[in-house]
Amino acid sequence: MQEFDVIIVGAGPAGLTAARKLAEGKAKVLCFDKKQEIGVPKRCAEGLGLAWMQRLNLKPDKKWCMQEIHGAALYAPSLKLVEIDFGKVSGYVIERRVFEKELAKQAAEKGALIKTKCNAHSFERKDGKVIVSCTEQGIETKYSAPLIIAADGTESLAARKLGLNTTISINDIDSGYQYEMVNISFDNPQFINLFFGKNVAPRGYCWIFSKGKNHANVGIGIAGPEQETAKHYLDRFVEAHPGLKKGSTIEVNAGTIPVGGFLDDMTADNLLVCGDAAHQVNPIHGGGIGIAMEAASIAAGVALKAISKKDFSQEFLKQYNSIWYEKRGNKLKKLLKQRHMLEELTDENFEVLANTISGSDIMTLTEGDLVDSAKMVTKKLIRHPKLAKVMLKYLR
Ligand SMILES: Cc1cc2nc3c(=O)[nH]c(=O)nc-3n(C[C@H](O)[C@H](O)[C@H](O)COP(=O)(O)OP(=O)(O)OC[C@H]3O[C@@H](n4cnc5c(N)ncnc54)[C@H](O)[C@@H]3O)c2cc1C
């Protein structure tokens, strides 16, 4: 049985980031994935903000940056448009297949061992270590390490098997469905296009993220239990858009997004959890690539300290919780409140908003500065009394 300092279950953005950082710190690290190919299938609309890339020291690379994003186009149910235009590049639609392979290559070059088609199915604590049993290309294998990083996505088996309660309420999980489409036409290819409305995407939205000329990820995320499936709503959306309905589909993706409740405690003895496995995503739009990578980097930092102190107890590892909450978690908690408000909006509320507030007003509201938000809202309320009903939901 091969022994490592750290075993990372899951080679998505979180696992691969942790693997690179641990290898850079000279740890002996194994990171593996049950998929046979890193990054495939993608289960993602592939939007990544420039601010995240800067925070994570990722230089935009033509190999995986497919389309510049300059802002967002938000459509109310009547298709009334509100534009958030940054007037410059604010992110990219990436090719995750290439991006993740690049992350894997960087981690391997630093000394991490990466494996694919390796499915972890059981975990046993023994003599201060964890023995991980896997089915690897059809063969049963075992690896051991004093520390496991669970980066195995929403369905995380590793965290559950090692004693963390990762249960998530059905109301706190979005169902996503997506077609990668070609030979289509749509407005605003340099914007991420989001479509709202009860009949379009209940408690969620449809999206069109361009990947180049006549090519886009066209998808939907809806919250909680609905009478119809996400696919049903997406098919209806595609059918209703003349530029989409004659297009061809080159990939279908489905996945869940844990939008409503990151774990309070992401540690146990011999265990750190990060990324979707810890439900660390932006609760408003469900984006999680950057957040997962940031959390993985924090987890890897704590893991390196644990290795040098030879202390893998929860008592020691739980500093990861406080660092993450301070850096990101507390901000996400605030956004969670805004999500709950957005979920309460009716189609009529969306129309009022589309007719009264601008893209920059939305930025003011979402940046969370109370004084600026109050000033903006007061001005608008004087001119648009109907806005009061919507703002009451926001303030509640
Ligand atoms: C439809 C949809 C659209 C999205 N769009 C965006 C977007 O545009 N922008 C954005 O930022 N985020 C988006 N997200 C969210 C984003 O995809 C995730 O937040 C991100 O992938 C999280 O990274 P991760 O490494 O934590 O998990 P994942 O990327 O899910 O990686 C986990 C890995 O663990 C592996 N694994 C699981 N179990 C095991 C096991 N037992 N053994 C071995 N390997 C295992 C899986 O195969 C997987 O590769 C979207 C999600 C969905 C579903």
Side-chain angles (χ1 to χ4, degrees):
M1 180 162 54
Q2 254 184 294
E3 299 212 355
F4 294 87
D5 293 325
V6 183
I7 294 174
I8 303 167
V9 186
L16 293 167
T17 303
R20 196 201 64 225
K21 184 146 185 192
L22 281 160
E24 280 169 353
K26 305 286 176 240
K28 188 178 177 197
V29 55
L30 167 67
C31 174
F32 62 80
D33 204 289
K34 64 183 178 186
K35 289 176 181 168
Q36 66 180 28
E37 184 177 350
I38 300 270
V40 180
K42 62 178 183 252
R43 300 207 292 192
C44 185
E46 303 179 295
L48 183 59
L50 189 62
W52 274 113
M53 292 169 72
Q54 287 162 347
R55 260 176 229 137
L56 296 161
N57 266 332
L58 289 170
K59 289 207 176 67
D61 185 329
K62 279 196 184 122
K63 277 190 279 191
W64 46 266
C65 286
M66 303 287 286
Q67 168 77 52
E68 288 179 355
I69 301 171
H70 287 227
L74 314 179
Y75 291 87
S78 65
L79 293 182
K80 162 92 188 162
L81 170 66
V82 178
E83 275 183 9
I84 302 176
D85 188 352
F86 294 107
K88 57 179 185 192
V89 180
S90 60
Y92 291 87
V93 179
I94 63 171
E95 183 68 48
R96 259 186 83 159
R97 182 171 48 86
V98 182
F99 174 66
E100 283 183 46
K101 282 197 179 126
E102 191 59 31
L103 295 181
K105 195 171 147 219
Q106 287 171 9
E109 282 169 358
K110 294 288 174 191
L113 180 62
I114 313 286
K115 284 173 178 273
T116 50
K117 213 164 181 186
C118 180
N119 184 9
H121 56 76
S122 45
F123 299 80
E124 185 198 350
R125 285 192 179 86
K126 200 171 176 191
D127 304 330
K129 296 197 173 170
V130 177
I131 299 171
V132 184
S133 304
C134 311
T135 310
E136 192 174 342
Q137 298 182 55
I139 297 166
E140 288 305 302
T141 47
K142 286 184 195 293
Y143 298 103
S144 121
L147 183 61
I148 305 297
I149 295 186
D152 45 348
T154 330
E155 67 264 48
S156 183
L157 185 76
R160 250 182 302 135
K161 292 266 182 180
L162 287 167
L164 269 197
N165 180 4
T166 57
T167 318
I168 186 164
S169 141
I170 187 105
N171 283 312
D172 286 335
I173 198 144
D174 270 10
S175 308
Y177 207 86
Q178 178 174 266
Y179 299 129
E180 185 170 337
M181 299 187 75
V182 291
N183 195 27
I184 53 176
S185 60
F186 49 92
D187 295 332
N188 310 309
Q190 288 197 319
F191 283 16
I192 55 169
N193 294 282
L194 308 177
F195 300 79
F196 298 89
K198 190 167 167 280
N199 293 319
V200 180
R203 294 169 65 212
Y205 58 86
C206 282
W207 64 76
I208 304 177
F209 286 13
S210 171
K211 290 189 81 173
K213 199 167 179 280
N214 307 332
H215 178 182
N217 287 324
V218 180
I220 186 170
I222 57 172
E226 280 298 329
Q227 279 181 347
E228 301 293 351
T229 60
K231 177 182 183 303
H232 168 92
Y233 287 103
L234 181 60
D235 287 341
R236 211 161 69 176
F237 175 75
V238 168
E239 196 54 31
H241 284 74
L244 301 180
K245 76 176 192 185
K246 291 206 176 110
S248 293
T249 301
I250 57 169
E251 192 174 321
V252 179
N253 311 112
T256 52
I257 314 164
V259 283
F262 15 92
L263 303 181
D264 287 335
D265 188 354
M266 299 166 292
T267 63
D269 287 344
N270 317 97
L271 178 71
L272 294 166
V273 190
C274 58
D276 275 14
H279 313 161
Q280 293 163 317
V281 303
N282 182 308
I284 302 265
H285 53 63
I289 302 171
I291 296 174
M293 292 175 72
E294 181 185 62
S297 179
I298 298 169
V302 172
L304 286 171
K305 283 193 229 164
I307 294 167
S308 84
K309 296 269 180 214
K310 294 193 176 49
D311 187 348
F312 304 97
S313 66
Q314 181 181 29
E315 203 50 44
F316 186 85
L317 297 175
K318 71 184 183 195
Q319 55 187 289
Y320 164 56
N321 291 327
S322 35
I323 303 172
W324 186 75
Y325 267 83
E326 196 178 315
K327 203 162 184 188
R328 189 65 44 203
N330 293 331
K331 286 185 195 141
L332 295 187
K333 285 258 181 224
K334 282 190 192 152
L335 290 181
L336 188 56
K337 285 192 187 148
Q338 296 200 8
R339 176 187 177 86
H340 292 146
M341 182 281 293
L342 281 171
E343 283 183 344
E344 280 190 39
L345 295 185
T346 62
D347 281 8
E348 192 199 340
N349 294 156
F350 274 118
E351 295 303 342
V352 171
L353 284 173
N355 285 302
T356 53
I357 69 173
S358 66
S360 63
D361 296 336
I362 294 174
M363 291 309 295
T364 307
L365 283 173
T366 52
E367 269 158 20
D369 185 311
L370 280 178
V371 179
D372 287 351
S373 299
K375 273 192 209 155
M376 184 275 286
V377 170
T378 315
K379 266 195 217 156
K380 298 271 166 182
L381 282 174
I382 295 167
R383 268 181 288 145
H384 308 283
K386 270 191 176 173
L387 192 60
K389 222 160 107 188
V390 188
M391 282 305 144
L392 271 179
K393 289 187 180 175
Y394 179 72
L395 292 171
R396 237 190 287 137

